[in-house]
DNA sequence: CTATGATTTCTGTAACGACAGAAACTTGGA
DNA sequence: TCCAAGTTTCTGTCGTTACAGAAATCATAG
């Protein structure tokens, strides 16, 4: 790998972190490289920059495309594919949230729905189903919220984030104004406890 | 493994998902089992229920304790350690958010801070540092928000989630009432785009 | 202080994933 | 339609991680 030190540090870090995030080292490095690059890179350039095999790069960009974190780009007069990472980091956050949800949350939700349909045949199972019900409700709430937030534009999203904890004050104000919580969906408490 | 079918499905699912979440199969299964159980279990019981080795269970509960997802519990008149998963699922979400942040975000933040201190020696590096700056700013914003939300009690948290997208309307109302955004921290835009 | 049961750490093996290089395939120009 | 450049898939090797079973350590009751 022969990169400016600043870029190299970042790329190596993403490679290491890749492990924790469920993607492999090479994939992390490719993304890091493209994220920092000021122009689309072709597979050959990536191969040289990272010192990994050509085929490995091929697999890597494919995976990143599946995550929608990287786009193919055709430069006029060049037959080779070029790759780039979208610029808008807010959009990146949305994409990440969406894809992770699809992979990590949705399968669990569907399993929970299945299991909750079955009839318990012992107190032990009844208790277990109760717990699963709690979990299901909570996840649905989180997913619904996430869906809603996805739709916000960059500015509103930033406002929301900047607001932080003072949101609770805001909630107070709102309930005073409207007398009830307008967007209310469902009650989900944690009244059960050992 | 000899468990009621409802419980078994859940446990197996968590085992499989464990891979995607950066924990191994056994650890996922142990947590699932404890989450569903209506009483603390000792290591021997876990071993039998899951059909894995005693030592594996020992390592597993240790890791779960490090994540603060499982607690040791001493039952009077029994020398053996018992383990249980906290009941309050809201608290579980908070714990997960906190721990994942510690492991997955903080190291990146600190790397970014380091690299941003260095002086770029080429236009390429200058651009790269710009991107890293954007990323750093965004992550700080997300982390700050997450910190704030951590502090909310279950009820406020649920209110916030239930609110969903209508938060943007609320934001409008607020800016009309107060004339400025009170909790404002820093401006972080994504003005750059290709 | 010793013996016994419980728990953790150590060690070797087996399974899995990452990766390079080769082979097969695809695409665009002549 | 053929050729060349580019890309993807296949295959074998290497390194890592998960795991069981054995050994060592720790804690409590007598």
């Amino acid at each position: 790998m022969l990169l400016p030190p600043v870029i190299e540090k970042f790329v190596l870090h993403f490679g290491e972190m890749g492990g924790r995030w469920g993607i492999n080292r090479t994939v992390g490095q490719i993304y890091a490289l493209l994220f920092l690059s000021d122009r689309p890179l072709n597979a050959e350039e990536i191969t040289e920059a990272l010192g990994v095999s050509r085929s490995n790069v091929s697999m890597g960009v494919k995976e990143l495309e599946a995550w929608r974190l990287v786009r193919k780009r055709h430069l006029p007069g060049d037959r080779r594919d070029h790759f780039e990472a979208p610029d808008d980091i807010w959009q990146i956050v949305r994409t990440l949230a969406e894809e992770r949800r699809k992979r990590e949350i949705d399968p669990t939700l569907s399993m929970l729905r299945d299991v909750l349909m079955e009839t318990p045949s012992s107190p032990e199972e009844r208790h277990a189903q109760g717990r699963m019900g709690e979990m299901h409700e909570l996840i649905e709430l989180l997913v619904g919220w996430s869906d809603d937030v996805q739709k916000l534009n960059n500015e509103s999203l930033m406002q929301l984030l900047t607001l932080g904890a003072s949101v609770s004050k805001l909630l107070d104000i709102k309930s005073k104004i409207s007398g009830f919580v307008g967007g209310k969906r469902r009650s989900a408490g944690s009244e059960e406890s050992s």
Side-chain angles (χ1 to χ4, degrees), chain A:
Chain A
M1 194 187 304
L2 200 52
L3 290 168
V6 166
I7 296 180
E8 177 170 307
K9 264 192 198 165
F10 184 89
V11 166
L12 290 177
H13 177 85
F14 264 63
E16 282 167 36
M17 290 314 257
R20 298 190 197 214
W21 300 334
I23 58 173
N24 68 38
R25 181 155 39 95
T26 311
V27 173
Q29 291 186 351
I30 294 174
Y31 181 72
L33 187 69
L34 291 173
F35 176 80
L36 294 186
S37 175
D38 52 359
R39 62 186 175 82
L41 302 178
N42 64 46
E44 191 58 35
E45 290 174 308
I46 298 173
T47 299
E48 284 169 19
L50 301 181
V52 298
S53 78
R54 183 65 188 70
S55 58
N56 208 1
V57 170
S58 180
M59 301 294 279
V61 292
K62 202 167 152 187
E63 183 169 348
L64 286 168
E65 284 182 278
W67 276 85
R68 291 179 299 147
L69 288 172
V70 156
R71 272 198 299 261
K72 229 176 230 153
R73 191 70 173 307
H74 274 288
L75 301 189
D78 194 333
R79 280 173 55 181
R80 296 168 299 183
D81 285 340
H82 286 66
F83 303 93
E84 67 177 0
D87 275 322
D88 182 352
I89 52 176
W90 296 88
Q91 189 50 49
I92 295 173
V93 171
R94 284 192 201 92
T95 303
L96 271 176
E98 215 173 305
E99 292 289 332
R100 287 188 81 143
R101 177 192 145 184
K102 212 157 57 187
R103 288 154 218 253
E104 302 178 3
I105 310 292
D106 287 354
T108 301
L109 263 186
S110 113
M111 178 275 294
L112 286 172
R113 270 194 277 269
D114 283 358
V115 176
L116 286 171
M117 302 259 286
E118 300 186 16
T119 317
S121 57
S122 69
E124 193 189 359
E125 282 186 295
R126 283 207 327 122
H127 177 267
Q129 274 193 336
R131 295 288 277 162
M132 295 188 217
E134 278 185 80
M135 182 182 279
H136 182 261
E137 198 165 19
L138 177 59
I139 296 180
E140 286 230 308
L141 204 55
L142 289 169
V143 164
W145 179 82
S146 153
D147 274 352
D148 289 344
V149 170
Q150 289 278 347
K151 291 174 200 138
L152 298 179
N153 58 30
N154 292 358
E155 201 197 346
S156 302
L157 189 48
M158 200 178 80
Q159 265 193 316
L160 176 59
L161 289 177
T162 309
L163 202 57
S166 50
V167 75
S168 61
K169 285 175 212 147
L170 198 49
L171 287 166
D172 288 347
I173 297 172
K174 181 173 197 252
S175 54
K176 271 169 203 152
I177 293 174
S178 51
F180 69 98
V181 180
K184 186 164 188 170
R185 273 208 211 89
R186 199 193 335 320
S187 94
S190 59
E191 40 291 4
E192 185 177 336
S193 85
S194 70

